[in-house]
Amino acid sequence: KQEVTQIPAALSVPEGENLVLNCSFTDSAIYNLQWFRQDPGKGLTSLLLIQSSQREQTSGRLNASLDKSSGRSTLYIAASQPGDSATYLCAARTFNAGGTSYGKLTFGQGTILTVHP
Amino acid sequence: GAVVSQHPSRVICKSGTSVKIECRSLDFQATTMFWYRQFPKKSLMLMATSNEGSKATYEQGVEKDKFLINHASLTLSTLTVTSAHPEDSSFYICSAQRGAGDSNQPQHFGDGTRLSIL
């Protein structure tokens, strides 16, 4: 059974800092890994999706890396801003119990990020 | 980008009431839809997966008769919480994906429904 862990659980940084969020997963047989942002009381916004064959993906100030062999992914946020404050979730997509093709996402518990001015 | 609309955003009702939540993909055909439940300060827990025109596949521990899922079209899935009780109070989020067989497609999420049972 896939288990996804995120460290740290919470992070508070001053504006302008570069920061790294960590995600680890126990089963390396993944389709892909996705990073999401969740604002309080809201749904999830997809930030980056890394296919199993890829090592990293970049979007603006965000860079996500994937190391399947060690079961790790990191989300790097450059020059953080107060608007980046949110909960960041990583999710690994693996086969479901029935082995059907669509797979399922297993989520970590998230990192609550606060960027203060 | 892909848009998933979930309605209602918030429901408050009495114990014993049945509540229906709708999830629509607005600009793409969602062959597969997912329903999640999120407890306060916890991560998302997958409840069930539905493919258009087929019966939903429920995760272990999720009561099929309690949480009825219908995926009648490529743009609409519904979750009905039957005879809801206070312990069913939670944040429910749906997700939609293009393509049944292509698990490398990203999932797109709705804004969630806050269900409060009195």
Side-chain angles (χ1 to χ4, degrees):
Chain A
K1 179 185 174 186
Q2 178 73 275
E3 293 182 3
V4 179
T5 305
Q6 289 186 248
I7 295 173
L11 183 62
S12 181
V13 300
E15 182 176 7
E17 261 198 24
N18 302 324
L19 54 98
V20 175
L21 307 181
N22 296 293
C23 172
S24 61
F25 47 95
T26 55
D27 183 354
S28 62
I30 61 172
Y31 281 119
N32 55 51
L33 188 134
Q34 207 165 345
W35 282 92
F36 297 90
R37 169 185 173 139
Q38 185 176 30
D39 292 294
K42 296 291 186 180
L44 276 65
T45 300
S46 179
L47 298 174
L48 290 165
L49 181 148
I50 312 176
Q51 306 288 5
S52 61
S53 58
Q54 297 176 321
R55 298 284 289 182
E56 65 176 346
Q57 281 286 332
T58 299
S59 176
R61 294 183 294 110
L62 305 179
N63 176 277
S65 68
L66 174 64
D67 184 343
K68 275 181 57 179
S69 61
S70 65
R72 292 180 183 178
S73 176
T74 60
L75 178 66
Y76 175 82
I77 302 177
S80 58
Q81 303 170 356
D84 295 330
S85 299
T87 297
Y88 289 81
L89 295 158
C90 74
R93 190 139 197 200
T94 51
F95 294 94
N96 71 354
T100 52
S101 59
Y102 48 76
K104 73 172 194 177
L105 287 175
T106 302
F107 284 85
Q109 290 197 314
T111 294
I112 301 172
L113 173 65
T114 304
V115 181
H116 47 88
Chain B
V3 178
V4 175
S5 174
Q6 191 171 337
H7 178 81
S9 59
R10 185 174 181 92
V11 180
I12 301 173
C13 57
K14 293 181 179 179
S15 184
T17 307
S18 291
V19 178
K20 180 184 283 188
I21 303 170
E22 292 188 349
C23 181
R24 294 181 185 273
S25 57
L26 299 184
D27 56 356
F28 67 100
Q29 292 189 326
T31 309
T32 308
M33 285 191 172
F34 305 84
W35 287 95
Y36 295 85
R37 182 172 180 176
Q38 187 176 33
F39 293 97
K41 297 186 179 180
K42 298 289 185 182
S43 193
L44 279 73
M45 181 188 75
L46 180 65
M47 298 174 65
T49 304
S50 68
N51 287 302
E52 183 264 338
S54 303
K55 287 185 178 180
T57 301
Y58 289 80
E59 295 299 303
Q60 191 173 10
V62 179
E63 298 177 59
K64 300 178 183 181
D65 295 331
K66 177 74 172 176
F67 300 100
L68 300 178
I69 292 172
N70 183 281
H71 190 166
S73 77
L74 286 171
T75 59
L76 173 65
S77 176
T78 61
L79 168 67
T80 301
V81 183
T82 61
S83 187
H85 291 283
E87 59 267 27
D88 299 323
S89 299
S90 193
F91 192 58
Y92 293 87
I93 307 177
C94 74
S95 173
Q97 177 192 296
R98 292 181 177 89
D102 186 356
S103 292
N104 278 323
Q105 289 287 330
Q107 288 188 23
H108 303 282
F109 287 78
D111 274 345
T113 296
R114 173 72 60 193
L115 176 62
S116 300
I117 308 299
L118 305 177

